[in-house]
């Protein structure tokens, strides 16, 4: 029997640690599903992956703390032993202080011919093993890893063993994706029911390795109870070639519809206000990306020095030159008045003309993308925050958001989801916080909606990549895509284009031009 679409949808939320615990506890306490049943299915998933990845002669070491994560590790060791694998168990902590589930699993193991070592009796060493099962800490870790635990994790990371983590690498924060002092660097992570935020944001992608999501029997009734209690706002979509089509709390926005009975006016005009600071490339990347995403016409508004160069680079665009400061704001507003959307910021500079342009755009009620120098101007003129509105998309990276808000880079990086949500909630706009996994937060019907983008790769950390994104967003807005939908779909397309570019150039060789040229292929995948 195939799984229902409703069950698939529910299991493809991305959850916080607290939400994950709620699902687990509701199934056990309110629905009466024995924890041992869920644990056995979790252990079978871990053992199944280890069995597939290791050879017949490989020696396996299960490193287990005395909590339920360690109990999963003990059960996985028992299953692997039953399959004929060579397994040793190393227990960290005092078993008598373990959870009920841990003590039960250890009692079973003691009836078997499995070697068990204890940290109080022998020093931890992982030499001579080929595979390590990391069952030390799970998603409930609330303080930095120190002492013997830090020493063990350091030895695991220095080993040449293949490492499989249970639920989440030990020491990795399940909500922020940041190591708590130190964390296990896993090759594989087997998680249960749903992805957790920490798997895919900040440093989580590096620490988790390849992630497998195991169905261990969580029930839809538990998810429904959670939905009744709070808004499940974290969603994700993956590139289909990456293993799964992502479905979250809502369906992925569709590309703007195309009609054979259409003309350039059908697909809208976008104003790209850029290049005041002499950075012609930034203006070019943004304007060309808007065209490649389907905009009918792109109007580049800039200084003569920029437009004279751009006309040969991008003859498809129309150009409006800004000359001097006299009534600059009025000129900007008039030039943008026949457009459906505005992009402002790429290569704009931060001089007087750039500031006047930003102020003018904030007075125009058009859907607007604010990027790069437009954000820096907001940061130095914070009184302009009161002009932000729900149809404005801001696209800062961590340093830009730090400049805008006065919050330290460290604090923002420590919890990028909270940082994006706070900005969106306070200022009523849509915030795309660009990071290894970009976060898109917006207010919808007085509730936060947050999309975690997990397409893309390290090759996109290159100059001009953000300018390409701004143009993608502008092109979608020009075609009457809703602002939230454009923000989410835009970063998704941008990431797939980056993946396509990396397939050809490797992550070392990707440039903004490569991402730009890959946009049609990215859209082709969506079609």
């Amino acid at each position: 029997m195939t799984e229902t679409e409703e069950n698939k949808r529910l299991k493809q939320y991305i959850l916080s640690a607290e939400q994950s615990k709620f699902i687990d506890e509701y199934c056990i306490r309110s629905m009466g599903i024995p924890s041992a049943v869920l644990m056995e299915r979790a252990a079978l998933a871990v053992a199944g992956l280890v069995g597939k990845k290791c050879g017949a002669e490989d020696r396996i070491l299960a490193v287990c703390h005395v909590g339920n994560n360690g109990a999963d590790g003990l059960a996985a060791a028992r299953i692997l032993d039953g399959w004929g694998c060579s397994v040793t168990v190393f227990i960290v902590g005092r078993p008598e202080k373990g959870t009920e589930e841990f003590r039960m699993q250890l009692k079973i193991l003691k009836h078997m011919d499995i070697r068990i070592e204890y940290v109080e009796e022998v020093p931890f060493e992982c030499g001579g093993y080929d595979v390590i099962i990391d069952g030390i800490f799970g998603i409930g870790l609330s303080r930095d890893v120190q002492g013997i635990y830090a020493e063990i994790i350091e030895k695991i990371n220095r080993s040449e063993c293949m490492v499989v983590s249970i639920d989440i690498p030990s020491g990795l924060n399940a909500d922020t994706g940041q190591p708590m002092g130190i964390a296990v660097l896993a090759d594989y992570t087997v998680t249960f029911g749903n992805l957790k935020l920490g798997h895919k944001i900040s440093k989580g992608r590096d620490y988790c390795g390849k992630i497998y999501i195991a169905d261990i029997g969580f029930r839809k009734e538990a998810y429904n109870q959670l939905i009744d209690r709070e808004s499940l706002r974290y969603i994700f979509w993956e590139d289909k070639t990456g293993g799964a089509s992502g479905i979250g709390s809502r369906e992925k926005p569709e590309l703007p519809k195309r009609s054979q009975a259409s003309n350039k006016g059908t697909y809208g005009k976008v104003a790209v206000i850029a290049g005041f600071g002499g950075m012609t490339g930034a203006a070019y990347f943004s304007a060309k990306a808007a065209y490649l995403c389907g905009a009918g016409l792109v109007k580049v508004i800039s200084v003569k020095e920029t437009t004279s160069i751009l006309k040969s680079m991008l003859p498809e665009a129309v150009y409006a030159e800004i000359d001097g400061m006299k009534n600059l704001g009025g000129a900007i507003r008039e030039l943008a008045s026949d457009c459906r959307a505005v992009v402002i910021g790429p290569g704009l500079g931060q001089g007087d003309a750039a500031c006047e342009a930003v102020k003018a755009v904030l007075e125009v009620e058009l859907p607007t993308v604010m990027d790069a120098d437009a954000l820096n101007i907001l940061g130095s003129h914070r009184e302009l925050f009161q002009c932000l509105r729900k149809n404005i998309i801001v696209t800062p990276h961590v340093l830009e958001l730090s400049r805008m808000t006065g919050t330290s880079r460290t604090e923002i990086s420590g919890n990028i989801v909270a940082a994006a949500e706070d900005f969106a909630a306070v200022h009523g706009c849509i915030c795309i916080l660009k990071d290894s996994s970009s976060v898109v937060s917006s207010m919808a019907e007085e509730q936060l909606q947050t999309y975690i983008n997990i397409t893309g790769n390290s090759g996109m950390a290159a100059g001009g990549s953000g300018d390409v994104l701004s143009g993608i967003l502008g092109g979608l807005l020009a075609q009457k895509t809703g602002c939230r939908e454009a923000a989410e779909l835009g970063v998704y397309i941008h990431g797939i284009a980056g993946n396509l570019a990396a397939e050809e150039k490797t992550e070392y060789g990707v440039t903004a031009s490569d991402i730009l040229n890959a946009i049609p292929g990215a859209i082709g995948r969506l079609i």
Side-chain angles (χ1 to χ4, degrees):
M1 182 180 294
T2 59
E3 188 175 23
T4 67
E5 288 302 315
E6 181 186 12
N7 283 346
K8 288 180 181 179
R9 179 180 64 83
L10 291 171
K11 291 172 182 176
Q12 289 174 329
Y13 283 111
I14 185 166
L15 301 181
S16 67
E18 182 182 354
Q19 290 168 337
S20 299
K21 290 176 194 173
F22 179 90
I23 295 292
D24 187 63
E25 291 177 0
Y26 189 87
C27 287
I28 294 168
R29 300 180 189 279
S30 299
M31 302 193 70
I33 300 173
S35 61
V37 171
L38 298 176
M39 185 166 289
E40 194 70 8
R41 294 189 65 170
L44 276 166
V46 174
L49 177 66
V50 173
K52 287 180 181 178
K53 299 297 179 182
C54 70
E57 303 302 318
D58 286 343
R59 298 187 62 202
I60 303 166
L61 175 64
V63 187
C64 304
H65 187 40
V66 297
N68 282 1
N69 195 256
D72 291 336
L74 295 182
R78 165 172 51 79
I79 292 166
L80 287 163
D81 177 75
W83 293 345
C85 298
S86 173
V87 185
T88 298
V89 171
F90 191 93
I91 294 176
V92 190
R94 299 175 63 178
E96 65 272 17
K97 292 190 175 181
T99 62
E100 180 181 350
E101 289 84 355
F102 176 88
R103 296 195 305 271
M104 177 187 71
Q105 295 294 343
L106 182 59
K107 182 178 179 180
I108 297 171
L109 244 61
K110 287 180 177 179
H111 292 290
M112 300 175 182
D113 189 21
I114 297 177
R115 180 182 165 198
I116 304 174
E117 301 281 7
Y118 299 88
V119 70
E120 289 93 346
E121 299 174 0
V122 297
F124 174 79
E125 296 296 340
C126 47
Y129 294 97
D130 304 290
V131 181
I132 295 175
I133 298 174
D134 160 32
I136 306 173
F137 301 123
I139 62 173
L141 186 65
S142 58
R143 58 186 177 183
D144 282 359
V145 179
Q146 297 176 339
I148 187 65
Y149 303 103
E151 293 174 19
I152 288 172
I153 290 174
E154 185 177 3
K155 288 182 178 180
I156 291 173
N157 289 345
R158 287 206 311 261
S159 77
E160 297 183 357
C161 298
M162 181 183 81
V163 179
V164 178
S165 287
I166 299 174
D167 213 8
I168 197 164
S170 293
L172 189 69
N173 189 293
D175 287 333
T176 68
Q178 295 286 355
M180 301 179 72
I182 189 172
V184 168
L185 284 164
D187 296 291
Y188 301 95
T189 297
V190 181
T191 194
F192 311 125
N194 305 78
L195 281 175
K196 284 62 176 184
L197 287 170
H199 289 138
K200 289 296 183 180
I201 61 174
S202 300
K203 297 180 180 179
R205 294 174 76 171
D206 291 326
Y207 277 85
C208 291
K210 186 170 179 59
I211 301 171
Y212 291 85
I213 305 173
D215 177 4
I216 64 169
F218 293 142
R219 293 284 306 174
K220 65 180 180 181
E221 290 85 355
Y223 291 91
N224 291 336
Q225 284 293 318
L226 182 57
I227 292 169
D228 287 344
R229 194 184 72 161
E230 60 184 272
S231 169
L232 287 183
R233 61 183 182 266
Y234 307 120
I235 64 169
F236 70 99
W237 315 304
E238 286 186 310
D239 183 352
K240 289 184 179 180
T241 60
S245 62
I247 303 173
S249 57
R250 55 187 185 275
E251 295 293 334
K252 180 166 53 188
E254 294 184 356
L255 287 165
K257 300 295 185 184
R258 307 291 289 190
S259 170
Q260 296 306 311
S262 59
N263 55 57
K264 64 179 180 287
T266 307
Y267 305 113
K269 183 190 299 184
V270 56
V272 175
I273 306 172
F276 288 20
M279 296 178 69
T280 305
Y284 166 77
F285 287 134
S286 185
K288 182 65 178 286
Y291 266 128
L292 291 176
C293 271
L297 195 64
V298 177
K299 178 190 285 187
V300 178
I301 303 172
S302 192
V303 295
K304 184 176 182 179
E305 293 83 355
T306 296
T307 59
S308 61
I309 299 171
L310 278 180
K311 285 174 182 177
S312 61
M313 297 173 66
L314 190 63
E316 299 91 343
V318 296
Y319 294 91
E321 293 174 359
I322 298 300
D323 184 17
M325 286 289 294
K326 186 177 180 180
N327 195 28
L328 178 63
I332 292 287
R333 288 190 292 272
E334 182 178 351
L335 288 168
S337 63
D338 64 342
C339 297
R340 282 189 190 161
V342 176
V343 175
I344 185 167
L348 190 69
Q350 299 179 55
D352 292 341
C355 290
E356 285 302 310
V358 169
K359 292 175 182 177
V361 167
L362 288 171
E363 294 175 6
V364 177
E365 291 297 319
L366 294 171
T368 299
V369 180
M370 303 190 74
D371 184 40
D373 284 327
L375 303 177
N376 292 326
I377 289 169
L378 279 178
S380 57
H381 297 79
R382 293 183 188 170
E383 70 277 5
L384 297 177
F385 281 162
Q386 64 184 344
C387 301
L388 294 175
R389 54 186 186 273
K390 64 181 180 180
N391 67 344
I392 289 179
I393 303 171
V394 297
T395 62
H397 52 58
V398 170
L399 178 57
E400 287 168 338
L401 189 62
S402 177
R403 292 175 185 147
M404 291 166 69
T405 62
T407 306
S408 72
R409 294 173 65 180
T410 301
E411 185 175 346
I412 293 170
S413 296
N415 196 335
I416 62 169
V417 171
E421 291 188 336
D422 287 348
F423 194 90
V426 170
H427 300 293
C429 61
I430 298 164
C431 179
I432 299 175
L433 180 50
K434 296 180 291 194
D435 200 62
S436 58
S437 292
S438 293
V439 177
V440 182
S441 290
S442 60
M443 295 295 293
E445 298 178 355
E446 299 186 357
Q447 286 190 331
L448 277 165
Q449 297 271 347
T450 298
Y451 163 63
I452 313 295
N453 187 63
I454 57 178
T455 62
N457 58 80
S458 67
M460 300 177 73
S465 176
D467 303 317
V468 174
L469 174 61
S470 70
I472 292 173
L473 297 169
L476 293 171
L477 290 173
Q479 296 170 81
K480 298 185 179 179
T481 305
C483 290
R484 174 178 61 77
E485 290 81 4
E488 295 173 359
L489 190 57
V491 293
Y492 181 74
I493 291 170
H494 186 240
I496 296 178
N499 288 345
L500 290 173
E503 287 176 10
E504 180 181 352
K505 300 291 183 70
T506 79
E507 293 184 23
Y508 293 90
V510 173
T511 65
S513 294
D514 299 321
I515 301 169
L516 184 73
N517 294 332
I519 290 173
I523 291 176
R525 285 199 180 180
L526 294 179
I527 295 172

